[in-house]
């Protein structure tokens, strides 16, 4: 025979087989059987056992309710899901088996506990559905952030039946990252070849969680939308996007399972994800796009742990984030990762900053008040799902009221100048929901964490007041009883007290025990004291417990009604939170602009990019005051009055990479609607940014450095449009010099070639250590050279000036840098000597004299003749451009590369026979 509790446990466990069941027993969540073994292993807590029936002992491991969040966080982080089974009634009120129910299932995408979340980052749960329509692949993606209520969907479609599907998967991966997806649901058959779909990429950045295929059925999706929003799929534009509709359905089904409806209506009146806004259709092409490699290269936001000295900004977001509220911080981060293409919207954001810049005192006081506004979105999420404490609800209500008060402050400040961008921005905050006001009036200033301890002000709710009066009366009787007992027994120092486990007692000193009257019953013996009970005391204690339970119930019921009303206003609350976020972010950006002399960019629809005295915000912030050297930049897609492709040369550490990145950062800032670190900037809207940094490692993914570089370069050559901005930083480094040079040149030629890109091409910055490439500027009209200036002092020591000037660098200063880096003097002297030899050898070679050079011929492979070949017909270029790199295995890629290299060598042999001999290996 098993115990009733055991049977109850097994009942719930059977309903949640793929989750760990946290079973509430008093002050603990207990786990049993395999769950207990797992939990004890994962959390490092002791595994014990518990008798649960005749001859039955089951493994047991429990965590205290008090710090359950911490343990949940560990389990969720390790990829587990946890079903939480609560006591649905006060165990004190029930003599039978306590009623229990699973109130929610916690997983990475449905977690609501602050310890499980990054305050400043989104936390979404997403579903993906793949379909094939007329031989083209469609990927539907639905992503909901239950912590904030944001619900975004998009559909990715293969451009042509024969185009490379891996590009589509790459797009999906980027999108998942932008939505902040922490849990990904896919259909059972996902990735299997049965459906005939091409295999998804090995790495979507997240381990998918399979769900039954029926969850993805469209009729179910329709029904789910009806029940959540009382509207058909067509109302959200989903009737034309069947793959997305399926994903939405599966996502809603999963979320509903995560908050199972309890049998008892009262408890679950409104615990749901009702606060989810209607699904918003996101069109990736409507935003400035980039891929993961670019994001890494530009260090926009932190992705994962990394070194870095504390206090030093490492990412652009570190520099930008001067937000006073979490709402602002999260919005700003999202805005940074999703800059706009719509000029009007960009200008609107810029207008707000400008309006705030003009009003420093207003900005100051706003910042102070915004600091007190809590995370309204996540509090609403907790309220909607029923896990908000009375303190959470009070914070939410007070935050909304404070937001309402902010609007009048802004209206007053703005009135005098007749400005209205700010007034219209904060408009949604003005309307404080009635439910919030009621909550604030109802709850005490600082509500305790639990019901039954005075959550509600006196005079608001009759049932609450009645229960409170009962408690007072009982306490009074208790006090009276104490003096009565003293009188009766003649023991003047006896005390009536209370213990959590043993309840109320009468306490005597040990030595007084013999004085205890007849009717007293001994309950507990301590070292020097004895505790008793007595009929009148028992009667009052029972009345007190009953009154306390009544109070807890009355309070809960009263708050519950208000909570339901508040969640009903979630639309207003989310709009208000959105306005606060934008206001806070605008204040932060205005503040930054004021402190560091950032300026408003001029946005236009054109192929121009013109930056005067631009700076790299992160490098500048890390440098000593005033040490950063600003630089100008001019690019133009037609190459007429400014180069389309600028080749930047200069020694190591001169500032090439910094110069490239600052251009991209300024464009991103401008298009997210922020001021920029420059004296002035004219930004022709950019649709995509590609940043490629040569020779960086991706060994973890099992791919060679060079192959990765080439894969990325291939994507760039396919994906760049005339409106794109490209940064190529030392590409071609991961292979032998000749290969690298050949590829770098071929890529540069392709990007600026008039045959493959007539009239216009992507604006491109190309930093390279291959001096040889500078000759391209003479051969191709849209290419120009620039160099980072260095100065050599008397001792031959070089000074980095970090300023960019037109023209090619004269040489690479490698030997000087080596000396400054501490290479022993002897080695440096020898290197200088070799260099002289090589350079003269080089001249000899050019003069036609044969000189024997083997590998050392690398340094000055100066073959301007090579550059003067008519570029567009170069066979290496042709072959390179036609390579289908994404469709190759690493082995095929390597052999293709060898072939290219051999071909390049053959070419060179016909031009400069002695030089080519040294290129191989
Ligand atoms: P390169 O790519 O030419 O090797 P980097 O761009 O990596 O050089 O710059 C090397 C270092 O020089 C940077 O870390 C920074 O400290 C400094 N630096 C770069 N550009 C500037 C500048 N414009 N003003 C001041 N310091 C700079
Ligand atoms: Mg560099």
């Amino acid at each position: 025979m098993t115990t009733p509790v055991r049977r109850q446990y097994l009942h719930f466990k059977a309903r949640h087989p793929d989750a760990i069941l946290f079973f509430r027993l008093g002050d603990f969540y207990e786990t049993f059987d395999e769950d207990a073994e797992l939990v004890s292993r994962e959390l490092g807590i002791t595994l014990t056992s518990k008798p649960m029936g005749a001859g039955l002992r089951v493994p047991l491991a429990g965590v205290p309710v008090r710090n359950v969040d911490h343990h949940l966080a560990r389990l969720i982080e390790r990829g587990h899901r946890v079903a939480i089974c609560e006591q649905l009634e006060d165990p004190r009120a029930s003599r039978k088996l306590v009623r229990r129910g699973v109130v929610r299932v916690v997983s990475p995408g449905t977690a609501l506990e602050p310890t499980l979340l990054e305050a400043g980052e989104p936390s979404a749960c997403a579903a993906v559905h793949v379909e094939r329509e007329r031989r083209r692949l469609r990927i539907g993606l639905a992503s909901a952030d239950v912590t904030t209520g944001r619900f975004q969907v998009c559909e990715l479609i293969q451009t042509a039946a024969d185009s490379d599907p891996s590009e589509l998967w790459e797009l999906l991966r980027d999108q998942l990252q932008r939505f902040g997806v922490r849990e990904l649901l896919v259909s059972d058959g996902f990735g299997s070849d049965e459906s005939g779909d091409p295999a998804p990429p090995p790495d979507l950045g997240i381990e998918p969680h399979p769900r039954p295929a029926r969850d993805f059925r469209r009729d179910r999706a329709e029904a789910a939308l009806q029940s959540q929003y009382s509207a058909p799929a067509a109302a959200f534009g989903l009737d034309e996007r069947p793959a997305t509709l399926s994903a939405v359905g599966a996502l809603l089904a999963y979320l509903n399972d995560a908050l199972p409806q309890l049998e008892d209506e009262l408890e679950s009146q409104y615990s749901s994800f009702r606060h989810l806004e209607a699904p918003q259709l996101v069109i990736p092409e409507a935003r400035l796009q980039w891929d993961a490699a670019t994001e890494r290269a530009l260090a926009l936001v932190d992705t994962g742990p990394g070194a870095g000295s504390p206090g030093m900004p490492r990412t652009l977001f570190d520099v930008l984030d001067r937000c006073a509220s979490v709402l602002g911080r999260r919005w700003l981060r999202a805005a940074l990762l999703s800059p706009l293409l719509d000029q009007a919207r960009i200008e609107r954001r810029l207008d707000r900053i400008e309006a705030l810049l003009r009003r420093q005192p207003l900005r100051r006081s706003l910042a102070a008040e915004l600091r007190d506004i809590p995370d309204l979105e996540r509090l609403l999420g907790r309220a909607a799902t029923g896990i908000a404490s009375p303190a959470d609800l009070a914070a939410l209500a007070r935050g909304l009221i404070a937001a309402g008060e902010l609007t009048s402050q802004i209206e007053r400040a703005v009135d005098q100048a007749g400005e209205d961008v700010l007034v219209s921005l904060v408009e949604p905050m003005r309307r404080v929901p009635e439910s919030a006001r009621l909550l604030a009036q109802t709850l005490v200033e600082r509500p305790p964490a639990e019901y039954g301890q005075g959550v509600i002000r006196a005079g608001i709710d009759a049932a609450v007041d009645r229960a409170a009066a009962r408690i007072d009366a009982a306490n009074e009787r208790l006090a009276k009883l104490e003096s009565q007992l003293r009188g009766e027994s003649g023991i003047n120092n006896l005390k009536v007290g209370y213990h959590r486990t043993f309840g109320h007692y009468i306490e005597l000193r040990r030595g007084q025990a013999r004085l205890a009257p007849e009717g007293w019953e001994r309950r507990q013996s301590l070292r020097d004291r004895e505790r008793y009970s007595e009929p009148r005391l028992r009667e009052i204690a029972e009345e007190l417990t009953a009154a306390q339970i009544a109070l807890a119930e009355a309070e809960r019921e009263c708050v519950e009604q208000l909570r339901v009303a508040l969640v009903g206003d979630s639309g207003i609350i989310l709009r208000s939170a959105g306005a606060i976020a934008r206001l806070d972010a605008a204040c932060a950006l205005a503040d930054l602009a004021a402190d560091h002399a950032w300026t408003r960019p001029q946005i236009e629809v054109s192929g121009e990019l013109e930056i005067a005295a631009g700076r790299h915000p992160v490098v500048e912030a890390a440098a000593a005051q005033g040490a950063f050297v600003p630089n100008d930049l001019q690019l133009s897609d037609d190459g007429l009055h400014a180069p389309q492709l600028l080749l930047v040369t200069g020694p190591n550490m001169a500032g090439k990479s910094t110069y490239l990145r600052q251009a991209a950062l300024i464009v991103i800032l401008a298009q997210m609607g922020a001021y920029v670190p420059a004296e002035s900037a004219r930004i022709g809207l950019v649709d995509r940014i590609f940043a490629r940094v040569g020779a960086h490692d991706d060994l973890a993914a099992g791919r060679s450095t060079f192959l990765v570089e080439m894969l990325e370069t291939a994507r760039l050559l396919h994906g760049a449009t005339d409106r794109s901005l490209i940064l190529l930083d030392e590409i071609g480094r991961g292979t032998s010099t000749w290969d690298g040079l050949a590829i770098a040149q071929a890529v540069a030629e392709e990007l600026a070639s008039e045959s493959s890109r007539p009239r216009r091409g992507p604006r491109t910055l190309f930093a390279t250590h291959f001096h040889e490439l500078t000759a391209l500027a003479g051969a191709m009209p849209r290419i120009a050279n620039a160099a980072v200036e260095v100065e050599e002092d008397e001792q031959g020591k070089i000074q980095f000036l970090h300023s960019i000037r037109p023209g090619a660098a004269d040489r690479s200063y490698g030997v000087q840098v080596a000396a400054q880096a501490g290479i022993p003097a002897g080695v440096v002297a020898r290197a200088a000597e070799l260099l002289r030899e090589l350079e003269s050898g080089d001249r000899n070679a050019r003069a036609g004299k044969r000189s024997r050079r083997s590998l050392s011929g690398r340094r000055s492979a100066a073959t301007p003749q090579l550059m003067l070949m008519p570029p567009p017909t170069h066979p290496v270029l042709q072959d390179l451009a036609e390579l289908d790199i994404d469709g190759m295995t690493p082995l095929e890629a390597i052999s293709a590369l060898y072939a290219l290299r051999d071909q390049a060598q053959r070419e060179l042999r016909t031009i400069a026979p002695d030089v080519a001999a040294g290129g191989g290996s």
Side-chain angles (χ1 to χ4, degrees):
M1 264 311 278
T2 54
T3 59
V5 170
R6 173 72 177 167
R7 281 198 298 277
Q8 197 184 31
Y9 168 80
L10 290 174
H11 166 78
F12 289 118
K13 179 64 197 174
R15 291 184 175 197
H16 297 277
D18 61 348
I20 297 170
L21 190 73
F22 269 26
F23 190 76
R24 176 84 181 254
L25 275 175
D27 291 337
F28 280 82
Y29 288 111
E30 306 284 17
T31 59
F32 301 103
D33 309 316
E34 288 90 34
D35 280 0
E37 280 156 24
L38 181 78
V39 162
S40 124
R41 229 178 14 252
E42 293 282 34
L43 300 180
I45 52 180
T46 325
L47 184 68
T48 58
S49 65
K50 186 180 171 79
M52 294 196 93
L56 178 68
R57 283 194 85 86
V58 290
L60 164 99
V63 300
V65 171
R66 227 174 329 107
N67 53 13
V68 63
D69 284 9
H70 165 75
H71 294 294
L72 268 181
R74 285 278 289 281
L75 291 173
I76 301 303
E77 219 167 76
R78 306 260 167 111
H80 301 293
R81 311 168 65 233
V82 178
I84 300 192
C85 184
E86 280 294 349
Q87 293 171 166
L88 298 180
E89 59 189 348
D90 194 319
R92 290 177 301 176
S94 154
R95 300 200 186 277
K96 299 179 307 200
L97 181 64
V98 175
R99 224 156 37 76
R100 293 187 169 81
V102 171
V103 292
R104 51 192 288 254
V105 181
V106 185
S107 63
T110 60
L112 294 152
E113 287 72 10
T115 44
L116 274 66
L117 300 169
E118 283 291 341
E121 291 173 24
S123 170
C125 187
V128 157
H129 187 67
V130 183
E131 277 191 5
R132 192 177 278 280
E133 194 196 72
R134 281 190 231 104
R135 296 184 42 239
R136 288 199 302 170
L137 218 52
R138 281 171 174 265
I139 303 180
L141 169 63
S143 164
D145 186 335
V146 296
T147 68
T148 62
R150 276 183 79 75
F151 192 172
Q152 295 168 292
V153 300
C154 74
E155 189 146 316
L156 309 169
I157 307 167
Q158 203 176 1
T159 41
D162 55 354
S163 73
D164 185 354
S166 72
E167 272 172 44
L168 203 62
W169 292 114
E170 201 59 45
L171 211 58
L172 173 64
R173 197 165 80 141
D174 294 340
Q175 205 57 53
L176 291 174
Q177 204 173 352
R178 279 193 194 201
F179 286 155
V181 172
R182 297 183 47 191
E183 184 172 9
L184 180 64
L185 314 173
V186 295
S187 171
D188 260 342
F190 181 75
S192 73
D193 279 341
E194 280 165 52
S195 54
D197 293 337
D203 178 20
L204 277 174
I206 183 170
E207 186 66 36
H209 179 58
R211 300 286 297 165
R214 64 169 183 280
D215 277 11
F216 290 80
R217 268 173 30 196
R218 279 196 275 281
D219 54 333
R220 290 189 172 225
E222 277 280 1
L225 282 171
Q226 273 295 350
S227 109
Q228 177 92 10
Y229 300 107
S230 315
F236 311 102
L238 291 175
D239 50 336
E240 294 164 357
R241 294 176 177 80
T244 305
L245 178 61
S246 291
V248 166
L251 181 60
L252 289 176
Y254 181 74
L255 293 181
N256 278 328
D257 282 356
L259 284 181
Q261 292 299 300
L262 302 173
E263 282 122 48
D264 186 306
E265 270 306 300
L266 182 89
E267 299 292 339
S268 68
Q269 265 187 32
Y270 222 95
S271 38
S272 70
F273 294 117
R274 284 285 146 192
H275 64 300
L276 279 191
E277 60 179 13
Q280 305 281 314
L281 190 64
V282 171
I283 305 195
E285 292 78 28
R287 297 295 171 116
L288 171 51
Q289 296 181 79
W290 55 74
D291 57 16
T294 301
E295 196 170 309
R296 260 197 316 272
L298 295 178
L300 300 176
V301 296
D302 256 320
T303 48
S309 47
M312 272 293 179
R314 284 188 301 139
T315 64
L316 181 56
F317 185 64
D318 289 342
V319 173
L320 297 187
D321 181 21
R322 295 184 168 204
C323 291
S325 71
V326 176
L327 288 170
R329 183 164 307 130
R330 211 161 44 232
W331 186 89
L332 188 64
R333 187 177 186 277
L336 170 61
L337 292 180
S338 224
L340 307 173
L341 295 185
D342 176 355
Q343 188 176 357
R345 286 184 66 193
I346 297 172
E347 300 287 0
R348 208 176 317 142
R349 291 185 186 177
L350 291 169
D351 286 344
R352 287 178 208 154
I353 298 176
E354 192 172 324
L356 285 163
L357 257 177
R358 266 187 266 125
R359 300 191 176 79
Q360 202 208 23
L362 173 66
R363 225 164 60 227
R364 280 265 164 75
S365 71
L366 281 180
E369 309 212 10
L370 285 165
R371 202 159 292 134
D372 293 332
I373 300 217
D375 192 341
L376 302 180
E377 291 172 343
R378 289 205 165 149
L379 287 171
L380 175 64
R382 295 169 65 78
T385 49
I387 68 165
S389 69
D392 286 340
L393 293 172
L396 176 51
R398 274 206 300 276
L400 287 165
I401 292 169
E405 280 159 10
L406 271 185
T407 57
S408 34
Q409 193 184 337
I410 286 173
E411 276 157 23
R412 272 197 309 278
V414 158
D415 215 26
Q416 303 138 8
E419 191 75 45
D420 72 69
V421 273
L422 293 179
V423 174
S424 58
L425 172 64
V426 299
E427 178 62 31
M429 293 152 51
R430 190 204 311 269
R431 195 171 145 215
V432 178
E434 195 48 37
S435 54
R437 289 198 194 284
L438 262 175
L439 252 175
Q441 285 158 14
T442 304
L443 295 172
V444 298
E445 192 77 24
R446 272 175 221 289
E450 280 172 54
Y451 291 102
Q453 298 177 349
V455 166
I456 287 170
R457 292 177 206 259
I460 302 260
D461 184 271
V464 169
D465 289 347
R466 262 199 313 277
R470 264 176 78 187
I471 292 178
D472 287 347
N475 277 325
E476 226 164 87
R477 283 177 61 203
L478 214 50
K480 253 190 221 135
L481 181 67
E482 192 178 56
S483 54
Q484 219 173 330
L485 288 169
R486 282 178 185 164
E488 286 169 16
S489 65
I491 309 170
N492 278 330
N493 57 355
L494 71 74
K495 273 192 302 206
V496 170
Y498 174 77
H499 184 275
R500 237 181 110 74
T501 325
F502 299 99
H504 286 87
Y505 54 77
I506 307 164
E507 188 174 88
L508 300 185
R509 299 247 169 96
R510 170 139 278 185
Q512 298 169 317
R514 62 198 154 74
L515 301 175
E518 275 293 295
W520 291 17
E521 183 188 326
R522 187 146 74 198
R523 297 292 309 273
Q524 197 188 3
S525 292
L526 299 164
R527 198 166 54 82
D528 56 348
R529 272 163 300 173
E530 294 287 342
R531 289 175 175 175
Y532 301 86
S533 189
E534 186 261 1
R536 280 166 295 172
L537 180 63
R538 270 197 292 277
E539 193 264 318
I540 299 175
E542 264 167 37
E543 159 62 9
L544 195 58
T545 306
Q548 276 162 349
I549 292 174
L551 178 65
E553 254 162 38
E555 284 188 339
R556 188 192 297 276
E557 205 164 311
C558 174
V559 173
E560 182 66 11
Q561 282 172 12
L562 292 170
R563 178 182 75 88
V564 170
L566 190 71
V567 174
D569 285 327
S570 58
I572 305 175
I573 298 173
L574 285 179
R575 276 193 296 282
S576 182
I580 291 164
R582 287 173 175 81
L583 177 67
D584 190 12
C587 281
L589 295 174
D591 215 39
L592 192 64
D595 279 3
H596 297 301
W598 288 20
T599 49
R600 180 174 177 145
Q602 181 187 330
I603 307 290
E604 54 185 47
V605 181
S606 78
E608 306 298 312
L609 180 60
E610 200 180 307
I611 298 168
R615 293 165 279 147
H616 188 301
V618 184
V619 175
E620 182 181 33
Q625 185 77 32
F628 193 89
V629 181
N631 276 302
D632 299 342
L633 170 66
Q634 247 188 307
L635 292 174
S636 176
D637 63 348
D638 56 15
L640 287 180
H641 48 280
Q644 180 224 316
L645 186 152
L646 189 68
L647 266 169
V648 184
T649 43
N652 245 334
M653 290 304 284
K656 301 183 295 297
S657 303
T658 307
Y659 181 64
L660 262 57
R661 283 171 175 75
Q662 89 190 23
L665 296 184
I666 287 174
V667 166
I668 289 172
L669 283 168
Q671 292 190 213
M672 73 180 273
Y675 276 36
V676 297
E679 255 168 44
S680 71
R682 223 176 108 211
I683 314 282
L685 287 170
V686 168
D687 65 349
R688 292 168 183 215
I689 294 181
F690 295 90
R692 296 290 178 259
V693 181
H696 79 77
D697 263 289
D698 200 354
L699 291 176
R703 301 192 282 193
S704 94
T705 298
F706 179 62
L707 182 61
V708 169
E709 191 185 318
M710 288 300 101
L711 286 169
E712 291 178 352
T713 307
R715 275 211 293 281
L716 172 162
L717 291 173
H718 287 302
T721 75
D722 295 351
R723 284 276 183 259
S724 303
L725 174 67
I726 297 180
L727 312 181
L728 290 165
D729 195 353
E730 312 266 21
I731 66 155
R733 233 184 185 176
T735 181
S736 80
T737 308
W738 286 116
D739 286 339
L741 176 57
I743 291 167
Q745 181 179 349
V747 169
E749 285 174 2
E750 163 69 13
L751 289 170
S753 123
E754 289 177 316
S755 61
S756 54
R757 295 182 186 270
R759 290 214 303 288
R760 287 173 213 296
R763 286 157 284 180
T764 306
L765 284 165
F766 198 122
T768 183
H769 62 293
F770 293 122
H771 270 72
E772 297 79 0
L773 284 183
T774 55
L776 270 179
M780 301 188 66
R782 286 195 224 148
I783 300 184
N785 286 321
V788 198
E789 279 186 295
V790 289
E791 220 175 45
E792 215 167 335
D793 64 16
E794 264 111 72
Q795 290 90 46
K797 236 180 133 179
I798 58 168
Q799 304 291 327
F800 295 113
L801 303 181
H802 301 306
S803 69
I804 307 279
R805 60 164 172 78
D810 48 356
R811 55 207 180 88
S812 78
Y813 299 92
V815 175
Q816 285 89 334
V817 174
Q820 270 159 259
I823 298 277
V827 179
V828 173
R830 172 67 181 144
E833 183 187 311
L834 283 171
L835 180 62
R836 272 191 302 278
E837 263 176 41
L838 290 172
E839 279 173 347
S840 63
D842 193 37
R843 271 193 295 281
N844 292 344
R846 275 191 233 165
K849 291 181 197 158
R850 297 185 73 90
S851 70
R852 282 282 129 224
R853 285 181 297 147
S854 59
L855 275 179
S856 52
R858 283 165 182 247
R859 184 202 157 275
S860 190
T863 49
Q865 300 95 319
L866 165 66
M867 305 308 154
L868 295 177
M869 287 186 311
T873 56
H874 195 296
V876 175
L877 162 67
Q878 286 287 320
D879 289 2
L880 185 72
E882 282 161 19
L883 278 190
D884 173 22
I885 295 184
D886 300 79
M888 288 179 172
T889 64
L891 214 65
E892 285 166 352
I894 296 279
S895 48
L897 201 52
Y898 276 117
L900 265 178
R901 196 265 322 263
D902 293 345
Q903 198 183 341
Q905 282 180 354
R906 272 196 303 280
E907 286 296 323
L908 287 169
R909 237 173 255 132
T910 59
I911 306 160
D914 60 320
V915 180
S921 96

